[in-house]
Amino acid sequence: MKKIYVLATGGTIAGSAESDTATTGYQAGAIGIDALLSAVPEIRELAEVSGEQIAAIDSKDMTQQIQLKLARRCNELLAFEGIDGVVITHGTDTMEETAYLLSLLTCTDKPIVLTGAMRPATAISADGPLNLLDAVRVAVSPEARDRGVLVVTNNQIDGAHDVTKSHTTSVQTFQSPNGGSLGSVDDGVVKFFRRSEFTHLAGSLKLSETIQELPDVRILYGYAGDDGLLVEAAVKAGARGIVYAGMGNGSLPAPVEEKLAQAVKDGVTVVRSTRGYAGQVTYAEPSYEAAKILRSESLNPQKARILLQLALQQKLESDEIQEWFNRF
C-alpha cells in the first residue's frame, strides 16, 4: 500500500459546534488530526496513513509563516522514498492561496492534495469525511503524479492555479472559472479530464530555510469614484508591490492610474488584476504599458499577490516579473 502523510492545519473540516444543525458559529480547528483520521476508517483500506498537526486555526487567520512551514514540510516529506503523497486539511477561506503558494514552492512530482469542508465535523451531513477520503483517493492515484498541487472537494479535482472559492456557504464552492475542473472522484473512482497548462515550478524556485515572510505586497480593490488615496497610503506604509483589482480587464480609474504610475517611478512594482470572477487581464490602455504597470493575466488578485511576492523575493526585473505572470 502507498504511504500518505496528512498535514492538518485546522479549518471547518476540524470544526466543532454546540448543535449538530449549526453550520455557522462553530470553533474551527477544534478536532485534531488523530480524530479526523479515525472518523474515516475507510482511508486505511486505501493507504498507510499517518500525520501531524501543523496548526489548528480558522483559515481566515492563516499566515505566510504557516504557509512557508507547510511548503518546507512538504518538501522534506516528499524527498523520502517512503512517502508517496501528502494530503493537507485546510480551511476553505484561504485554501486557494495556500495551494497556489505550495504549487510554486514544492519541488516534487508526487501528489500534494488540499481538502477541507464547508460544514463542521459535528454537523448533520458534514462534507469533511468524504472530502478527506476523496483526497486520499486522489493522492494514491498514479494519474495524480506531476499535476502540481490539487484541491479536492465535493467530488471535484481542481488545480491550484485556477481554483477559487466562489460561494460563501455552498459545499460546491470551489470552482475553476477559466477552464473547469481537472477531474472528478465519482463513487470512489478517480478520473482526470485534462491537464493544467500552469504547472508548478518543479524545483526552479527555492527559498532559504530562514525566510519567515515574503515582501510586503498590498491588494487594493477598484470601485467607481476611487481617488487613489489608498495607493498613496500603501506606498507610504512601505509596500514593495501593489496589486490593483480593477474593473473589467483590469481597468484603472484615471486618478488611480496617475498614482500607480507615480508609485512605479518610486520603485513599487504594480500589477493590474481584476475584481471580475473569470477571464484574463490582457493588454489594454497604452498608458498602462508605458507606465510599466504589469498584468496579472489569469491570476486573481490574491494569487497575483503571491506570485509578485515571490518575484520580488527573487529580485526579478519588471520584464522578468511579467514573464512569470505569463507562465505561472
Side-chain angles (χ1 to χ4, degrees):
M1 297 182 77
K2 289 189 175 182
K3 295 182 180 179
I4 302 299
Y5 205 87
V6 181
L7 300 175
T9 66
T12 299
I13 192 171
S16 178
E18 294 183 1
S19 166
D20 60 6
T21 60
T23 56
T24 60
Y26 51 85
Q27 181 183 349
I31 298 173
I33 178 64
D34 292 337
L36 279 182
L37 294 176
S38 296
V40 194
E42 294 83 357
I43 286 177
R44 307 293 179 182
E45 301 172 9
L46 298 172
E48 293 182 30
V49 179
S50 56
E52 66 183 83
Q53 196 80 38
I54 295 292
I57 60 172
D58 187 317
S59 75
K60 67 179 176 56
D61 297 316
M62 179 58 66
T63 66
Q64 286 198 322
Q65 288 83 0
I66 297 174
Q67 291 173 325
L68 292 171
K69 181 180 179 180
L70 274 172
R72 287 190 288 268
R73 189 65 178 127
C74 285
N75 283 327
E76 290 170 356
L77 290 166
L78 295 174
F80 291 109
E81 290 185 6
I83 301 295
D84 297 296
V86 167
V87 169
I88 299 170
T89 58
H90 196 291
T92 59
D93 282 354
T94 55
M95 186 186 295
E96 66 191 85
E97 293 171 63
T98 297
Y100 184 62
L101 181 63
L102 291 177
S103 77
L104 299 171
L105 293 181
T106 48
C107 310
T108 182
D109 64 354
K110 297 179 182 178
I112 298 175
V113 183
L114 281 79
T115 193
M118 293 299 289
R119 298 169 182 161
T122 53
I124 295 174
S125 298
D127 52 325
L130 182 57
N131 285 345
L132 180 55
L133 180 62
D134 280 349
V136 174
R137 284 170 169 155
V138 171
V140 301
S141 171
E143 297 299 315
R145 289 186 72 99
D146 200 27
R147 291 183 182 269
V149 175
L150 304 172
V151 171
V152 173
T153 62
N154 200 44
N155 304 127
Q156 291 180 188
I157 307 170
D158 290 276
H161 181 279
D162 294 334
V163 72
T164 190
K165 186 173 182 178
S166 68
H167 194 282
T168 55
T169 57
S170 172
V171 294
Q172 60 185 23
T173 185
F174 283 104
Q175 302 295 325
S176 296
N178 286 329
S181 298
L182 302 182
S184 65
V185 186
D186 297 314
D187 289 331
V189 178
V190 175
K191 186 176 181 64
F192 283 92
F193 309 135
R194 67 181 185 91
R195 183 178 293 273
S196 175
E197 294 296 322
F198 298 96
T199 60
H200 50 313
L201 288 176
S204 63
L205 175 63
K206 295 182 180 179
L207 296 183
S208 166
E209 292 291 319
T210 61
I211 290 179
Q212 298 297 316
E213 60 183 358
L214 297 172
D216 184 1
V217 174
R218 303 290 168 143
I219 299 174
L220 302 180
Y221 193 89
Y223 57 91
D226 189 351
D227 58 10
L229 289 181
L230 289 180
V231 175
E232 295 180 332
V235 174
K236 186 176 180 180
R240 290 181 55 191
I242 294 173
V243 174
Y244 189 85
M247 301 81 158
N249 187 20
S251 298
L252 307 174
V256 172
E257 180 184 354
E258 179 182 351
K259 289 180 170 57
L260 287 175
Q262 183 59 51
V264 174
K265 292 179 181 179
D266 293 337
V268 177
T269 303
V270 175
V271 175
R272 290 187 298 118
S273 187
T274 177
R275 66 185 194 181
Y277 174 63
Q280 297 194 73
V281 174
T282 62
Y283 287 96
E285 302 295 332
S287 58
Y288 300 165
E289 308 298 323
K292 295 186 177 180
I293 296 173
L294 307 180
R295 307 176 305 280
S296 69
E297 296 295 328
S298 56
L299 288 178
N300 62 24
Q302 53 269 36
K303 293 180 184 177
R305 170 179 175 265
I306 291 168
L307 189 61
L308 181 55
Q309 286 183 300
L310 293 175
L312 292 174
Q313 182 67 41
Q314 298 294 299
K315 297 181 171 56
L316 299 186
E317 298 295 328
S318 178
D319 57 343
E320 295 174 308
I321 295 175
Q322 184 60 68
E323 179 59 23
W324 270 31
F325 277 100
N326 296 342
R327 294 173 58 198
F328 304 121

